Amino acid sequence: MTYQDVEPLRASYRPGKIKVLFVGESAPAGGAFFYKQTGQVHGQFRQALAPHIGDSPSFVEAFKQAGFYLDDLVLEPVNWLSRSDRQAIHAASIDSFAKRLGTTMRLLLSPS
C-alpha cells in the first residue's frame, strides 16, 4: 500500500473542522487501512467509539461527522521493517508530519 493508494481516501474523510486528531504510525503494508474499513486499527476504533458516535451510514463517515481524523506519522508502510529501521524512519518523518500537522492545526483552530 503506497501513499498514492491511501491519501486520496484519507483526504475524503477529513472533516471540515477537526475536533480530535488521532496519530498512527503508518498504513500497514498488507493492504488493510482504517479508511477502507479494514484491519485491526479500524476494528479497535469502531469497538471503542461506535457506541458513542454511531456507525451509520458507515463507521468512518460517523467518525468524520464527529470531527475525528486519523493521520499517520509515516506516509509509507513501515510495519515490515526492523525496529531500528522503523525508528529511523519515524525520526526522518517528523518534519513532514509537522508540516501536515500545521495545516491540520489551522483547521483545528479555525472558527466554526
Side-chain angles (χ1 to χ4, degrees):
M1 194 167 250
T2 67
Y3 173 84
Q4 292 80 11
D5 295 327
V6 299
E7 290 313 306
L9 181 59
R10 184 195 315 267
S12 74
Y13 286 104
R14 185 179 194 138
K17 179 166 175 65
I18 297 170
K19 295 178 182 175
V20 178
L21 174 66
F22 296 95
V23 180
E25 179 183 42
S26 72
F33 182 57
F34 178 81
Y35 289 108
K36 285 174 61 178
Q37 302 185 70
T38 59
Q40 291 181 335
V41 172
H42 176 268
Q44 294 298 319
F45 269 76
R46 186 172 186 205
Q47 182 178 5
L49 296 175
H52 306 284
I53 66 171
D55 61 3
S56 180
S58 68
F59 175 70
V60 292
E61 188 60 41
F63 191 81
K64 175 183 177 179
Q65 293 303 316
F68 297 167
Y69 190 63
L70 173 63
D71 202 345
D72 291 312
L73 173 62
V74 181
L75 294 178
E76 296 291 339
V78 297
N79 57 304
W80 47 270
L81 299 174
S82 70
R83 181 181 176 130
S84 61
D85 287 346
R86 285 168 88 161
Q87 289 174 333
I89 291 172
H90 294 165
S93 298
I94 291 171
D95 287 342
S96 169
F97 182 71
K99 288 176 184 164
R100 291 192 332 273
L101 186 59
T103 300
T104 300
M105 289 305 293
R106 284 190 291 281
L107 290 172
L108 281 168
L109 299 174
S110 67
S112 299

